[in-house]
Amino acid sequence: MPSNNLPLPKYHQIYLVLREQLQEGRFADGLPGELALMRQFAVARVTVRRALELLEGEGMISREPGRGTRPVPPAATHANDAGGDGENSRAHLTGLLENLVSMGLRTSVKVLDVDTVTASRAVAGALNIAVGDAVQKAVRVRSTKEGPLSHITTYVPADIARQFGRRELARKPILVLLEESGVKVGRAHQTISAKLADAVVARHLDVSVGSALLAVRRLIYDDQERPVQWLHGLYRPDRYEYEMQLSRVGSIDAKVWVSKELSAQFH
């Protein structure tokens, strides 16, 4: 069983998890009540209240008697999570697609959920479709022989995803299924960051709530530059890592590091 003895105080762990969820727009209809949060994080009311006080102090939530706790809309719209225009937020990874298929064939997968949903603003922006268009949302956990490795959520336009469902997703890597559906996969656009495990993900990856995870956003394009899949992946850093080889290019006074090759290592 994972240990809950993390270096941060429990209220601060809860604050960090809730802050990330607020930034993702999870609580459009209001945050869970104090009792629900107490049950979710297995803590006392005073711990939950301290976490909420931190969020309120940052201006991220408002708490009013009789109206509950609600998120405060951000003052400015941030760049699309799919990457925006800044090159610093992108990683164009040589050999990425081949590597992903290889990993899929060398690990096992459990399909948690597959459903056709309407595209949110973020999903629509990433896939270049209209808000409300139908997309397939699939949630899976991929594992090695040592245990769970990653929690993966994918969004695929419904006209492509109608070719496969839960049974196919449990048997083959999704890139293979896309190719079998007639998609000619072209390139991938990927961002890598960090995220804290919430209660749901922590349970599936067998880690403590608030544990640090490697967070990957990956947008797959076909050979005509149409976005065909948007992936949100959360990986255990003790079982997964990226390895990149770099080369120096440019004149002697303006040399820069350029990635030549990338592979994934998982344990």
Side-chain angles (χ1 to χ4, degrees):
M1 293 296 290
S3 171
N4 285 316
N5 296 322
L6 298 179
L8 290 175
K10 193 69 176 179
Y11 75 87
H12 200 81
Q13 297 173 37
I14 297 170
Y15 150 75
L16 291 173
V17 171
L18 293 177
R19 184 179 67 173
E20 287 188 348
Q21 293 176 340
L22 283 162
Q23 291 171 341
E24 294 172 351
R26 295 261 195 112
F27 304 119
D29 297 325
L31 276 72
E34 290 183 358
L35 288 176
L37 292 173
M38 290 165 58
R39 289 193 294 267
Q40 177 180 339
F41 294 103
V43 296
R45 187 187 295 269
V46 65
T47 304
V48 168
R49 286 183 172 174
R50 290 192 69 182
L52 295 176
E53 287 170 0
L54 289 177
L55 294 170
E56 187 175 30
E58 288 190 359
M60 298 190 70
I61 62 172
S62 64
R63 295 191 289 170
E64 300 179 26
R67 297 190 59 187
T69 304
R70 307 189 67 82
V72 175
T77 301
H78 297 282
N80 188 296
D81 283 341
D85 293 329
E87 281 299 321
N88 289 336
S89 67
R90 301 183 184 183
H92 299 284
L93 307 176
T94 303
L96 171 65
L97 300 180
E98 294 84 352
N99 181 56
L100 293 173
V101 172
S102 174
M103 184 180 72
L105 294 172
R106 294 164 59 193
T107 57
S108 61
V109 67
K110 177 181 180 181
V111 180
L112 302 180
D113 187 43
V114 181
D115 197 10
T116 299
V117 301
T118 56
S120 66
R121 187 175 300 277
V123 172
L127 294 177
N128 196 24
I129 58 178
V131 174
D133 280 358
V135 295
Q136 180 199 75
K137 178 182 178 182
V139 183
R140 293 164 294 154
V141 171
R142 192 166 287 283
S143 301
T144 67
K145 62 182 179 180
E146 284 78 19
L149 166 73
S150 60
H151 184 279
I152 304 293
T153 303
T154 54
Y155 300 91
V156 177
D159 62 314
I160 298 173
R162 68 169 58 99
Q163 304 294 327
F164 53 85
R166 179 183 291 269
R167 179 182 301 177
E168 290 78 14
L169 285 165
R171 296 172 57 189
K172 297 181 180 180
I174 193 167
L175 286 177
V176 173
L177 295 175
L178 289 173
E179 294 275 11
E180 291 180 350
S181 300
V183 174
K184 294 183 178 179
V185 175
R187 66 181 180 90
H189 173 164
Q190 179 162 283
T191 63
I192 305 173
S193 61
K195 186 182 173 81
L196 300 176
D198 62 19
V200 174
V201 172
R203 184 174 70 254
H204 288 301
L205 292 185
D206 194 23
V207 297
S208 300
V209 173
S211 296
L213 301 172
L214 184 66
V216 173
R217 294 287 178 98
R218 183 182 303 130
L219 190 57
I220 305 293
Y221 296 83
D222 67 12
D223 61 349
Q224 300 300 310
E225 288 295 295
R226 176 195 178 187
V228 294
Q229 181 206 113
W230 197 30
L231 176 146
H232 298 189
L234 295 171
Y235 296 79
R236 285 185 52 153
D238 60 329
R239 291 179 179 162
Y240 190 76
E241 63 185 25
Y242 279 114
E243 181 179 342
M244 185 179 294
Q245 296 181 3
L246 303 175
S247 296
R248 296 290 302 279
V249 300
S251 61
I252 189 66
D253 59 343
K255 282 188 177 293
V256 296
W257 290 105
V258 177
S259 62
K260 297 280 289 183
E261 180 179 327
L262 181 144
S263 63
Q265 307 293 329
F266 48 95
H267 318 290

